[in-house]
Amino acid sequence: MILPIYIYGQPVLRKVADDITPDYPNLKELIANMYETMDNAEGVGLAAPQIGLPIRVVVINLDVLSDDFPEFKGYRKAFINPHIIETSGELEDMEEGCLSLPGIHENVKRAGKIRVTYLDESLQPHDEIVEGYLARVMQHEFDHLEGKMFIDHISTLRKQMIRGKLSSMLKGKVRCAYRYKAVKI
Ligand code: NI
């Protein structure tokens, strides 16, 4: 089922999300719905707060980028209770967007290397070092679980430049091709 994507201004996007327990109700169905919602919106990732749930569940699909990054062919994964344990490496600057911030694209500096722990869809634990583009996507998505969005990482000047777009979103004026839930509708 395609779920509405919560837009900037929704309080759930600013909450620190909780870990879930293995008996979380209908987890498989939730993950399936998150994949479907992400695919429909043509996103590379989606975090549970973006569908209104303050819990630590994220889906990532890098298969859509496999023309440019062949190593991501078939890469579709769900992450349960992910935590970034450590960041290292050079800071890298790259443009990002977010399904909860339609129409906004800004450069964001992120660590080149991270260490993450999470459970996979079969609830098996992982402890991994991740680099490159995947490390960036994980940092963006896992930020959502800390109540953060990519615009929190941009300069005051850039933030002023997008102020108009942000205030439109707060008034419920949103232009995007997928189902969404803005603050005032
Ligand atoms: Ni996002």
Side-chain angles (χ1 to χ4, degrees), residues 5-10 13 99-100 102 169 174 176 180-182:
I5 292 175
Y6 283 52
I7 300 294
Y8 174 79
Q10 286 281 5
L13 294 171
L99 296 175
S100 295
M169 284 183 214
V174 178
C176 59
Y180 65 87
K181 200 165 173 178

Side-chain angles (χ1 to χ4, degrees), residues 86-131:
E86 213 178 308
T87 59
S88 59
E90 298 277 306
L91 286 180
E92 291 165 12
D93 206 15
M94 196 187 262
E95 192 179 78
E96 295 188 12
C98 179
L99 296 175
S100 295
L101 290 159
I104 295 179
H105 296 89
E106 294 289 334
N107 273 32
V108 180
K109 285 192 174 68
R110 304 244 187 221
K113 198 177 189 179
I114 57 174
R115 181 177 164 207
V116 290
T117 59
Y118 63 91
L119 306 177
D120 62 25
E121 274 176 83
S122 312
L123 302 177
Q124 294 305 302
H126 295 262
D127 183 337
E128 295 171 357
I129 305 283
V130 181
E131 294 179 74

Side-chain angles (χ1 to χ4, degrees), residues 24-41:
Y24 188 85
N26 307 317
L27 181 58
K28 279 197 162 28
E29 192 185 340
L30 169 69
I31 290 171
N33 288 341
M34 286 178 67
Y35 275 128
E36 200 180 341
T37 302
M38 169 179 64
D39 292 343
N40 175 65

